[in-house]
Amino acid sequence: ILNVEQSPQSLHVQEGDSTNFTCSFPSSNFYALHWYRWETAKSPEALFVMTLNGDEKKKGRISATLNTKEGYSYLYIKGSQPEDSATYLCALRTSYDKVIFGPGTSLSVIP
Amino acid sequence: GAVVSQHPSWVICKSGTSVKIECRSLDFQATTMFWYRQFPKQSLMLMATSNEGSKATYEQGVEKDKFLINHASLTLSTLTVTSAHPEDSSFYICSARPGVHNEQFFGPGTRLTVL
């Protein structure tokens, strides 16, 4: 059974702090890696799709890196704001239709 | 663009009844739709993948007679939980993918509680 892990499970940071979380996955089954941002009572919102080893993507204050050889991806948030509070999901795509989600990292940004 | 709706957003039903959940892509045609289930404090688990006009492909351990999936049009897929029992209580969420696009777009989910 393939397992996608995320750490930490949750964290609380002060407004203005930068933070990062990790997604770990089995490197032998890699097709693509997705990051989603999921606010309570809303739909998960796609942040990044990453396919190449060494990929680095950026969207505003949020960026992500990918290492397919060792099986991890980092998500960074620079200067956290209260509106960044959400659960951040990573998902390993092992084929065109097969996606395995991690349990998520719940971020709370304290004003 | 790329909005997916789900209806209802929550439902409470009695044990033994059937519940239908609708997933609609509002501004695009979805050749493929996915149904996920989430237990408390756990990951989203893929239940099945459906392509318009063909039978759904169910993941191992998911009973296809229990969870009926219909993808009758390019904008609508339904999940029917038949003869629901309390252990079926969960959060169900769908996603839709346009054509050969690389991305899935999610609905907001449906909270099912079976009494």
Side-chain angles (χ1 to χ4, degrees):
Chain A
I1 297 176
L2 296 176
N3 212 29
V4 176
E5 297 175 349
Q6 287 187 250
S7 63
Q9 185 178 5
S10 66
L11 76 163
H12 298 77
V13 301
Q14 289 291 137
E15 182 176 353
D17 286 352
S18 294
T19 187
N20 65 85
F21 357 109
T22 306
C23 173
S24 304
F25 53 87
S27 55
S28 57
N29 299 87
F30 184 84
Y31 183 96
L33 189 89
H34 298 252
W35 279 101
Y36 294 89
R37 181 170 173 273
W38 195 2
E39 289 182 74
T40 304
K42 294 187 179 178
S43 305
E45 173 200 351
L47 290 175
F48 304 113
V49 180
M50 308 179 80
T51 55
L52 297 175
N53 184 43
D55 250 358
E56 187 167 336
K57 297 217 171 175
K58 192 173 178 183
K59 192 175 185 178
R61 294 179 291 99
I62 305 177
S63 60
T65 60
L66 177 68
N67 183 322
T68 58
K69 294 190 175 173
E70 294 181 38
Y72 64 83
S73 175
Y74 293 136
L75 188 82
Y76 301 91
I77 303 179
K78 189 176 175 183
S80 304
Q81 299 297 308
E83 57 266 29
D84 296 329
S85 297
T87 296
Y88 290 83
L89 297 174
C90 76
L92 171 69
R93 201 153 159 204
T94 59
S95 66
Y96 189 60
D97 274 349
K98 198 78 81 176
V99 177
I100 303 166
F101 278 84
T105 292
S106 175
L107 172 67
S108 295
V109 182
I110 304 160
Chain B
V3 178
V4 176
S5 70
Q6 255 182 267
H7 178 79
S9 54
W10 59 270
V11 56
I12 301 172
C13 69
K14 289 184 180 177
S15 190
T17 60
S18 294
V19 175
K20 183 187 279 189
I21 303 169
E22 291 187 350
C23 177
R24 290 182 187 272
S25 56
L26 298 185
D27 50 5
F28 65 95
Q29 293 187 326
T31 50
T32 307
M33 285 186 168
F34 305 86
W35 286 96
Y36 295 86
R37 180 175 183 177
Q38 186 184 36
F39 291 103
K41 298 191 188 299
Q42 293 189 29
S43 313
L44 293 175
M45 299 292 292
L46 180 65
M47 298 175 67
T49 303
S50 73
N51 290 295
E52 185 264 339
S54 60
K55 288 185 181 179
T57 302
Y58 290 81
E59 295 299 302
Q60 195 173 6
V62 178
E63 298 174 60
K64 57 183 178 184
D65 295 330
K66 173 78 173 173
F67 299 100
L68 299 178
I69 290 170
N70 187 296
H71 191 165
S73 78
L74 284 170
T75 58
L76 173 65
S77 177
T78 59
L79 167 68
T80 302
V81 183
T82 61
S83 187
H85 287 95
E87 58 266 28
D88 299 324
S89 299
S90 193
F91 185 76
Y92 295 87
I93 189 168
C94 71
S95 69
R97 186 176 66 204
V100 294
H101 200 278
N102 208 22
E103 195 54 76
Q104 295 179 34
F105 299 96
F106 283 85
T110 297
R111 172 74 57 193
L112 170 64
T113 302
V114 185
L115 301 176

